[in-house]
Amino acid sequence: MKLNEIKQIDVGGDLLANYWPEDEYCFSEWVTLSIGVKGEEGSTYFNLLVCTPEWISRKLDSAQSVWGRHMLIIRKYDTELIESEVNKKLQELLEIFTGDDDLKFSEKIARYAHWEYEDYVSKSL
């Protein structure tokens, strides 16, 4: 089994299609990616900061630096572009990942979006 389908993309619990920023050229918003196995129930969750260069620029007006992990930077808000880019990245990863282990594949996805279990360490009793 391998995570191979974007089941849903949402913003604060609402579908991405229902969200619109105040300024489509200057925004940053965390989105949740629900990724699962096609035809099966269940998902693994990843978070991705979607933002614009203008937001980064304004952030730098008041700060010396901005960290950039788990970010998708787009010119302006466009739900179709966000969905397309997320799907394209998932397909790229599926093409290069030869294993069938969802845990290992989730670690690959986590290079681009924060995985809900990233850095989780099981505590043995």
Side-chain angles (χ1 to χ4, degrees):
M1 151 161 70
K2 193 186 309 184
L3 301 173
N4 59 7
E5 179 180 58
I6 306 297
K7 303 268 186 177
Q8 183 171 304
I9 301 176
D10 68 65
V11 178
D14 200 8
L15 293 176
L16 179 67
N18 296 335
Y19 171 80
W20 195 263
E22 286 184 32
D23 183 344
E24 64 189 304
Y25 291 95
C26 182
F27 77 94
S28 105
E29 193 64 60
W30 283 98
V31 300
T32 300
L33 312 174
S34 303
I35 303 176
V37 178
K38 190 172 191 161
E40 294 183 16
E41 289 190 32
S43 296
T44 300
Y45 299 100
F46 299 86
N47 295 301
L48 179 67
L49 181 68
V50 179
C51 65
T52 59
E54 182 61 27
W55 176 83
I56 293 170
S57 179
R58 288 186 187 178
K59 191 83 168 157
L60 287 170
D61 286 344
S62 62
Q64 293 295 317
S65 61
V66 176
W67 287 89
R69 188 163 184 231
H70 301 138
M71 292 173 76
L72 172 61
I73 303 166
I74 58 177
R75 179 82 40 214
K76 71 174 201 159
Y77 187 77
D78 180 334
T79 57
E80 289 180 15
L81 177 63
I82 295 167
E83 290 172 358
S84 171
E85 289 299 314
V86 169
N87 276 303
K88 185 167 47 172
K89 181 54 71 182
L90 179 62
Q91 292 310 310
E92 287 174 12
L93 293 172
L94 284 165
E95 288 175 15
I96 61 173
F97 185 78
T98 56
D100 217 21
D101 180 345
D102 283 345
L103 179 62
K104 294 285 184 198
F105 190 61
S106 293
E107 291 172 351
K108 300 296 182 195
I109 298 171
R111 293 178 180 175
Y112 301 93
H114 181 265
W115 178 30
E116 63 180 323
Y117 294 109
E118 193 169 316
D119 298 326
Y120 173 78
V121 178
S122 176
K123 294 183 180 182
S124 300
L125 294 176

